Amino acid sequence: MYHILEKTIQSAFREKVRSTFGSDADITLEQPRQTSFGEVALPIAFQLARALKQNPKKIAADLVEAVGPIPGVAAMEIAGNGYINIRFDRGAYGAALLNSVAAEAVDSDEKIIVEHTNINPNKAAHIGHLRNAVLGDTFVRMLRAVGNKVEVQNYIDNTGVQVADVVVGFHFLEHKTPAEVAALIAENRFDYLCWDLYARTSQYYKDNPEALKWRAETLHSIEAGHGALSELGHLVANAIVKAHLATMLRLGIEYDVLPRESEILHLKFWASAFELLKERKAIYFEEEGKNKGCWVMPASAFRGSDEANEDSKVIVRSNGTVTYVGKDIAYQLWKFGLLGKDFYYEPHTTYADGHQVWASTAVPQAGPTPKFGGGATVYNVIDVRQSYLQDVVVAGLNALGYNHQADQSIHFSYEMVALSKRCCADLGIPLTPEDMEKPYVEVSGRKGLGVKADDLMDQLIDTALREVASRHAEDTPEQQRAIATEIAMGALRYFLLKFTRTTVIAFDFQEALSFEGETGPYIQYATVRARNILRKLTERGEAIPDFGAELNAEAMAAQLGDEDAWQILLAASKAEAAVERAIASGEPAHVARYAFQLAQSFNNFYHQFPILIEPDRNRKVFLLWMTSFFARQLERTLAILGIAAPAYM
RNA sequence: GGGCACGUAGCUCAGUUGGAUAGAGCGUCCGCCUCCUAAGCGGAAGGUCGGCAGUUCGAAUCUGCCCGUGCCCA
């Protein structure tokens, strides 16, 4: 509702600014410094003052005169040196909220692809991976909430160095056969086992550099697709992908399709992309210099036109192997439906809600399978350290002449999750003097340095469970655990979302395990309270009023004359505006912050207005409507954040 | 050496794209459970928005130069 009125005001002014002053300046809306100034402020007169060489105050007055009455607006006043302050018609506003039945949903046929998670399938997921997945998943929920068609992809690099290294560990260090590894997979926490083995193998390379030949041998075997090493590679990657899906499902994160690198290889995606790149002269064969014998992309393609830097990017090495970027260009082309090729798909996993995840396969399937890829816009959720490579991929699209798709290929970047020094101390990680100088310590899978996702979730659940058990001792352990899990996961998702994407999260247990203040549970608690009021009402034998019948614009106006009630309702009605703003800025943190403010508003309301014992019938009906409106807004916003609203707390 | 970020209260962070008196949580101090759940609420203290210059009606926000930190590319 709020953003609809915003747009009405905006367009009314835009039109008059154009017709009266011949300017098509942007109409920016602000929130007045003081709530007593009104609901919306326009500084447009200042923007026009310079060009028109007129007093802003006069411009503002002329403009207000020209615009005339706007539906939904009660008053416009000139304030300060030329601010236009706008007051809403409270009765009309309240009545509109009362009648709004999940408006809009600007349906679009265009598909948006969001790729996230993309964890190397060679070890357990850690907190850095969680940030990726939670950011990606929340952004997907935001896009879907406003009516977009979204496809969620989780790319699986099942033929890469990292998988090879774990295979090296099993085969050369542990002397395990595929059958033995299969047996290990059947046991518990294979992903944890690999976590340690990967670190051990990495250390072994360090001490015995000649062992790197094992890695090369393994990579060749995996690429060729036969032999014990290849078999081990598939066993490891498939088992770890399963573990990752299970880990992410704990946080309510689901995928639509898992495109795998093995199929990119077998279906010769790269060969098609290579031909395209050569044909369109996006890359060239280097005849001399250090990159002699390589196919390279000229630096000018991705570094602006600065001639200063001569460093071109190698796409195909002189030994004929393609770099990671090369494969990524092929994959990106496929995402836009530009490759002229497609995967085959087979069912991978079915979630409890019936939702099916598909995985790519090189084998044609008998029955009908869905189509994936061919998006109009592609978001790649990848951490900021990959910026350079992402630029090269986009440059590849541009060099091929796909400028529009290049613009629609968005690196949804975010800063890493590091470990605070206190966190390292908690984990018993010894810090070098070098580390002590730094503000935080970088997570390293290679060193086995990090907080495992499942460990963290378990710890959060334990902490929440102690609290739930002390508050609801009468409940069964299963019930307590279910509630504690919802609270723990809510806390974790909120913790990862409240920071903007450019902020490095220095992970700290004390902060992450907190359930008070600006946290997920704070918002959940407000939601539980709102619903409790309505539940208590029916428990007392009273019916929830028919708000549509008992309230109208007049009644709303009377009740909303109360300044506090009005401000609280106004805040509660801005959910859609907050989501739109967050999508425009690509910042899920804005939704998270709004959810917190919404909960604060509700708590404010809760403490200020006793509802069930309110003697005045009209007022009580109004307060109950406010309560149900809050409950709905909180539930919606939590759903967008992927946070559950527990039955009780 | 080049590129990209960041620097705001004791700590951790927001700041709606240049607007009116810079906000929140944590921590500290004081207060509130006879009342819909205290995972809550109210109040207090706490700031040279890294520094200097510039752009203009107006700068935490834009530009330049410094200082400091992180990441990436050679």
Side-chain angles (χ1 to χ4, degrees):
Chain A
M1 181 55 213
Y2 182 80
H3 67 307
I4 295 172
L5 194 46
E6 265 189 334
K7 280 172 188 162
T8 310
I9 292 166
Q10 225 165 4
S11 65
F13 272 89
R14 187 178 299 123
E15 194 179 312
K16 286 301 166 189
V17 165
R18 189 173 299 140
S19 61
T20 314
F21 300 107
S23 161
D24 47 358
D26 267 356
I27 311 296
T28 52
L29 300 186
E30 293 167 10
Q31 241 179 88
R33 189 82 222 131
Q34 292 175 28
T35 54
S36 59
F37 289 169
E39 283 69 54
V40 167
L42 290 152
I44 180 66
F46 297 112
Q47 293 166 46
L48 295 172
R50 194 178 324 164
L52 299 172
K53 300 225 186 303
Q54 275 184 42
N55 182 348
K57 221 165 175 169
K58 181 174 185 319
I59 296 173
D62 291 348
L63 206 48
V64 167
E65 176 75 26
V67 168
I70 300 173
V73 169
M76 294 193 275
E77 295 152 15
I78 317 296
N81 289 324
Y83 271 100
I84 301 171
N85 289 334
I86 294 178
R87 289 177 200 283
F88 291 177
D89 178 336
R90 298 182 181 186
Y93 193 82
L97 289 176
L98 183 64
N99 299 321
S100 76
V101 195
E104 80 248 64
V106 236
D107 263 301
S108 160
D109 275 347
E110 294 199 330
K111 180 160 77 182
I112 298 174
I113 291 175
V114 178
E115 182 204 338
H116 66 76
T117 305
N118 304 2
I119 313 172
N120 274 303
N122 76 326
K123 61 180 179 305
H126 59 62
I127 41 174
H129 300 128
L130 288 182
R131 187 178 194 185
N132 181 306
V134 169
L135 269 176
D137 181 66
T138 305
F139 195 59
V140 168
R141 290 167 186 267
M142 288 160 58
L143 291 170
R144 285 179 174 157
V146 299
N148 289 293
K149 205 191 315 176
V150 184
E151 176 176 305
V152 185
Q153 302 188 356
N154 177 8
Y155 181 77
I156 310 293
D157 183 5
N158 57 350
T159 63
V161 173
Q162 297 216 19
V163 171
D165 284 348
V166 170
V167 170
V168 166
F170 278 124
H171 183 84
F172 295 99
L173 300 184
E174 305 266 295
H175 306 292
K176 292 257 192 290
T177 64
E180 287 168 328
V181 172
L184 287 173
I185 288 169
E187 288 172 26
N188 263 342
R189 300 264 65 148
F190 180 68
D191 54 341
Y192 279 31
L193 185 89
C194 290
W195 173 284
D196 294 333
L197 184 56
Y198 179 52
R200 202 142 25 98
T201 308
S202 299
Q203 186 59 43
Y204 191 85
Y205 288 145
K206 246 187 187 169
D207 301 336
N208 311 275
E210 73 281 1
L212 283 166
K213 67 173 191 291
W214 294 340
R215 176 195 274 173
E217 184 186 341
T218 305
L219 279 170
H220 273 118
S221 174
I222 289 175
E223 205 156 317
H226 50 72
L229 292 173
S230 167
E231 197 182 331
L232 278 173
H234 279 294
L235 280 173
V236 169
N238 289 343
I240 300 289
V241 166
K242 275 206 157 154
H244 288 165
L245 292 195
T247 299
M248 295 309 170
L249 189 58
R250 296 179 78 184
L251 284 162
I253 300 169
E254 300 185 351
Y255 309 90
D256 296 322
V257 63
L258 312 176
R260 295 187 293 200
E261 186 158 81
S262 49
E263 278 73 57
I264 291 202
L265 290 173
H266 294 146
L267 295 170
K268 309 252 186 293
F269 273 31
W270 165 243
S272 299
F274 192 29
E275 284 313 309
L276 211 53
L277 287 162
K278 283 193 284 193
E279 181 189 310
R280 306 218 176 161
K281 310 247 185 284
I283 58 176
Y284 67 93
F285 189 73
E286 187 63 81
E287 304 278 3
E288 54 193 17
K290 62 176 176 177
N291 292 336
K292 184 176 178 190
C294 300
W295 284 90
V296 301
M297 186 180 294
S300 56
F302 55 93
R303 289 229 169 153
S305 48
D306 278 14
E307 77 296 336
N309 257 296
E310 294 285 319
D311 298 321
S312 41
K313 180 70 196 169
V314 175
I315 304 297
V316 180
R317 302 186 191 92
S318 53
N319 66 8
T321 58
V322 57
T323 57
Y324 181 78
V325 186
K327 282 181 267 190
D328 217 17
I329 291 173
Y331 177 38
Q332 199 70 6
L333 284 169
W334 169 79
K335 282 189 200 164
F336 282 110
L338 298 171
L339 192 65
K341 276 193 171 174
D342 200 353
F343 299 105
Y344 302 106
Y345 303 99
E346 59 186 7
H348 184 277
T349 303
T350 309
Y351 295 112
D353 61 6
H355 179 200
Q356 177 77 242
V357 196
W358 297 78
S360 62
T361 168
V363 185
Q365 300 293 295
T369 59
K371 297 285 286 177
F372 296 104
T377 305
V378 173
Y379 289 92
N380 299 310
V381 183
I382 307 178
D383 80 64
V384 72
R385 290 170 290 189
Q386 304 287 324
S387 294
Y388 173 73
L389 295 176
Q390 285 290 302
D391 285 350
V392 177
V393 171
V394 169
L397 292 181
N398 271 318
L400 288 167
Y402 297 125
N403 305 87
H404 176 67
Q405 284 82 356
D407 287 345
Q408 297 304 308
S409 178
I410 296 153
H411 178 195
F412 198 86
S413 72
Y414 62 94
E415 269 290 357
M416 63 180 167
V417 181
L419 307 178
S420 70
K421 280 184 265 188
R422 184 166 64 180
C423 174
C424 291
D426 290 346
L427 292 168
I429 296 169
L431 295 180
T432 63
E434 209 177 317
D435 289 334
M436 292 305 287
E437 297 293 314
K438 297 191 166 189
Y440 43 71
V441 180
E442 204 170 338
V443 169
S444 167
R446 232 163 252 292
K447 293 180 191 159
L449 195 66
V451 177
K452 293 188 197 79
D454 284 306
D455 283 350
L456 175 60
M457 289 190 257
D458 291 342
Q459 203 173 333
L460 279 160
I461 292 170
D462 285 347
T463 308
L465 189 54
R466 278 196 292 276
E467 190 68 29
V468 174
S470 76
R471 288 165 187 244
H472 304 281
E474 74 286 1
D475 285 332
T476 66
E478 292 73 28
Q479 277 175 323
Q480 292 176 355
R481 188 157 197 85
I483 296 292
T485 301
E486 289 184 339
I487 293 167
M489 299 304 112
L492 181 53
R493 285 191 68 122
Y494 191 87
F495 176 77
L496 291 168
L497 286 169
K498 72 177 184 182
F499 301 96
T500 53
R501 293 193 280 128
T502 53
T503 300
V504 177
I505 300 180
F507 184 81
D508 185 282
F509 279 105
Q510 200 166 313
E511 267 179 67
L513 291 171
S514 165
F515 296 151
E516 289 168 16
E518 198 199 335
T519 64
Y522 176 94
I523 306 164
Q524 292 174 312
Y525 190 60
T527 312
V528 167
R529 280 176 145 181
R531 292 197 302 211
N532 271 353
I533 294 173
L534 300 171
R535 189 171 48 78
K536 281 267 162 73
L537 182 79
T538 52
E539 277 175 13
R540 291 178 182 202
E542 296 179 52
I544 292 174
D546 178 351
F547 299 120
E550 295 206 41
L551 289 168
N552 56 25
E554 204 184 338
M556 286 287 188
Q559 297 297 343
L560 290 168
D562 180 318
E563 192 60 30
D564 290 327
W566 168 242
Q567 290 304 332
I568 286 167
L569 179 64
L570 192 63
S573 68
K574 291 180 179 177
E576 290 81 2
V579 173
E580 280 198 359
R581 204 159 40 81
I583 289 174
S585 60
E587 199 55 91
H590 291 161
V591 180
R593 295 248 165 204
Y594 172 75
F596 176 62
Q597 284 165 23
L598 184 62
Q600 275 184 317
S601 293
F602 176 75
N603 279 328
N604 206 330
F605 171 69
Y606 183 91
H607 281 274
Q608 209 172 329
F609 300 94
I611 298 159
L612 295 180
I613 55 166
E614 170 61 48
D616 180 279
R617 169 71 189 171
N618 291 335
R619 182 134 183 97
K620 185 170 181 178
V621 169
F622 169 75
L623 292 175
L624 282 169
W625 172 73
M626 285 271 279
T627 307
S628 75
F629 182 67
F630 258 114
R632 198 163 65 239
Q633 293 290 77
L634 282 162
E635 283 165 6
R636 270 189 203 163
T637 312
L638 279 177
I640 291 173
L641 295 173
I643 297 175
Y648 60 85
M649 281 177 79

